[in-house]
Amino acid sequence: MSARHTQVLIIGSGPAGYTAAIYAARAMLKPVLIAGMEQGGQLMITTDVENYPGFADPIQGPFLMEQMLKQAQHVGTEIVNDLVTEVDLSTRPFVVRTDSGQVWTADTLIIATGAKAKWLGIDSEQHFQGFGVSACATCDGFFYRNRDVIVVGGGNSAVEEALYLSNIAKSVTVVHRRDSFRSEKILRERLMQRPNVEVLWNTEVAEITGEAAKPPMPPSVTGVKLRNTLTGAITERPIHGVFVAIGHAPATELFKGKVRLKDNGYMWTAPDSTATDVPGVFAAGDVTDDTFRQAITAAGMGCMAALEAERYLAGILPLAEAAE
C-alpha cells in the first residue's frame, strides 16, 4: 500500500474536526479527515441538543454530527474510516500510520481527537446514559428545571457543575466518596451558601434506578442507591438526574512526547491560537479545551485551526510565532 500525501490531515471526527474540514475544503486545500473508532465523538451519545445555534427545536446529537459529516463531504473533504496508530512529527512532511496499514504524509496536521468523560463504571450508569445520566451540566441542566439532581465528584468540575445546577434545579445533592472537597476554597464557600444544595460525604453511587423504555417513551432515572464508604450501608434516594463530574480524559496518548501537553494531560496551544509547539501542527476542540468543552466552542476552534493551517501553508507565520 503506497503512501498518500495531503496538505491538511485532520485526526478526529467531532465538531472540531468536521468544522476544520469544512473550512479547509472551502479554501481548496483538499483535506483528508481520519474519523477514528468513534465517529462523531461525544455527541453521538447525546440525546436532545438545545444549545447549538441554528436549530429552533431540540435536535439529536447523532443527527447534528451526521449533518456536519455530510457538509464536510459536500464541500470536498475526503473522509477516511480508519484509526491512527502512529504519528511522526519529527520529519517534514509529517508521517501518520493507520490501523489498515495506510501511510499518510501531510504538510499540516490538525489534531481533533477530543476527550472522554470519566464514568463511574457501574452497569446502570451505561443503561441510563443520555436518559437521566449526564457528564455535562451546561449541556443538559436545562432539562432538569425545578427537579432534583445529584452531582458525583469532589473536584473543581463537580463543584462548578453543582453551582450551575443550583440555579436551575429544585435541589442539588453532591455525592463525594471522601470527607472533603479537592476544589478551590472560593468554590467550596460559594457552594455551601446555596440553600438548595446538600453535600453527602463519604458516599458513592452504588446503583442508578429507573424505569425501562416504554415506546415511544425512553428510559428514565427515578432514583439512586447510595453506599456509605465507611460503613457500607445502602440508602435510597429519589432523583431525576445524575451528573457525573469526576473528570475528563483527553485523547492524547498518540502525541505524548511529541507535542507539548499541559500538566493535566490536555494538549497545549499558544494563547489565542490553535498552534501547538510543533510548527504546522494545530489542536482544536476538547483535546486542548479543559475549560468549556462545548460543541460550539470545539467547532469554533476547528475553524481557527483550519484558518491557521491555511496561513501556515501560504508561508504566513501562525499568530503564535508572529507574536514572539
Side-chain angles (χ1 to χ4, degrees):
M1 190 179 298
S2 59
R4 292 188 58 192
H5 181 76
T6 181
Q7 292 185 87
V8 180
L9 184 65
I10 302 164
I11 305 177
S13 55
Y18 284 143
T19 306
I22 291 165
Y23 273 79
R26 283 173 53 82
M28 308 304 292
L29 296 176
K30 298 181 179 178
V32 172
L33 183 149
I34 302 179
M37 290 291 290
E38 298 178 358
Q39 186 164 337
Q42 294 184 81
L43 277 174
M44 296 301 290
I45 58 171
T46 303
T47 50
D48 288 348
V49 176
E50 286 190 332
N51 57 1
Y52 199 90
F55 300 92
D57 298 317
I59 56 171
Q60 299 293 298
F63 170 79
L64 178 59
M65 299 320 300
E66 179 185 13
Q67 294 301 301
M68 287 191 188
L69 165 63
K70 289 180 177 179
Q71 186 176 2
Q73 290 176 314
H74 173 74
V75 293
T77 303
E78 179 180 350
I79 306 293
V80 178
N81 293 312
D82 207 344
L83 176 68
V84 174
T85 56
E86 184 181 349
V87 295
D88 184 355
L89 307 182
S90 64
T91 184
R92 294 293 190 280
F94 305 120
V95 178
V96 173
R97 293 178 171 82
T98 67
D99 187 61
S100 68
Q102 181 66 56
V103 176
W104 293 88
T105 59
D107 297 319
T108 61
L109 185 66
I110 296 176
I111 301 168
T113 47
K116 284 186 177 181
K118 295 179 182 177
W119 297 98
L120 301 175
I122 55 179
D123 292 339
S124 53
E125 173 188 56
Q126 185 174 4
H127 178 72
F128 290 107
Q129 194 169 305
F131 301 101
V133 175
S134 171
C136 180
T138 310
C139 309
D140 300 323
F142 182 76
F143 301 112
Y144 297 89
R145 300 185 302 280
N146 300 317
R147 309 193 84 183
D148 301 309
V149 300
I150 274 181
V151 175
V152 184
N156 280 351
S157 294
V159 176
E160 287 171 351
E161 298 267 278
L163 285 168
Y164 178 85
L165 289 165
S166 70
N167 295 317
I168 300 171
K170 177 182 178 182
S171 72
V172 179
T173 302
V174 182
V175 175
H176 186 34
R177 60 183 179 178
R178 298 187 175 89
D179 60 2
S180 62
F181 286 130
R182 293 173 286 109
S183 62
E184 297 173 11
K185 182 179 179 181
I186 189 171
L187 292 176
R188 298 197 302 266
E189 291 175 348
R190 287 175 183 169
L191 186 69
M192 295 306 182
Q193 292 171 1
R194 298 295 169 96
N196 62 337
V197 173
E198 178 186 4
V199 180
L200 298 181
W201 305 111
N202 300 311
T203 303
E204 63 186 6
V205 176
E207 184 182 349
I208 300 167
T209 58
E211 297 180 356
K214 297 177 181 178
M217 299 302 294
S220 61
V221 168
T222 58
V224 290
K225 293 182 179 179
L226 302 174
R227 179 188 297 112
N228 186 291
T229 58
L230 299 179
T231 66
I234 298 291
T235 58
E236 296 188 30
R237 177 173 292 229
I239 213 77
H240 300 111
V242 178
F243 289 84
V244 180
I246 56 176
H248 288 74
T252 54
E253 286 293 329
L254 277 172
F255 309 99
K256 287 182 177 178
K258 299 174 182 178
V259 296
R260 178 180 170 186
L261 302 180
K262 303 176 190 176
D263 292 340
N264 59 5
Y266 284 78
M267 200 161 289
W268 178 90
T269 55
D272 302 317
S273 172
T274 63
T276 69
D277 65 327
V278 178
V281 177
F282 306 90
D286 285 11
V287 73
T288 182
D289 179 9
D290 55 356
T291 303
F292 301 105
R293 292 191 291 262
Q294 299 298 302
I296 187 65
T297 51
M301 294 177 72
C303 165
M304 291 169 59
L307 294 176
E308 289 191 287
E310 181 185 4
R311 289 171 61 89
Y312 179 87
L313 291 168
I316 302 172
L317 286 176
L319 297 177
E321 293 181 30
E324 292 180 353

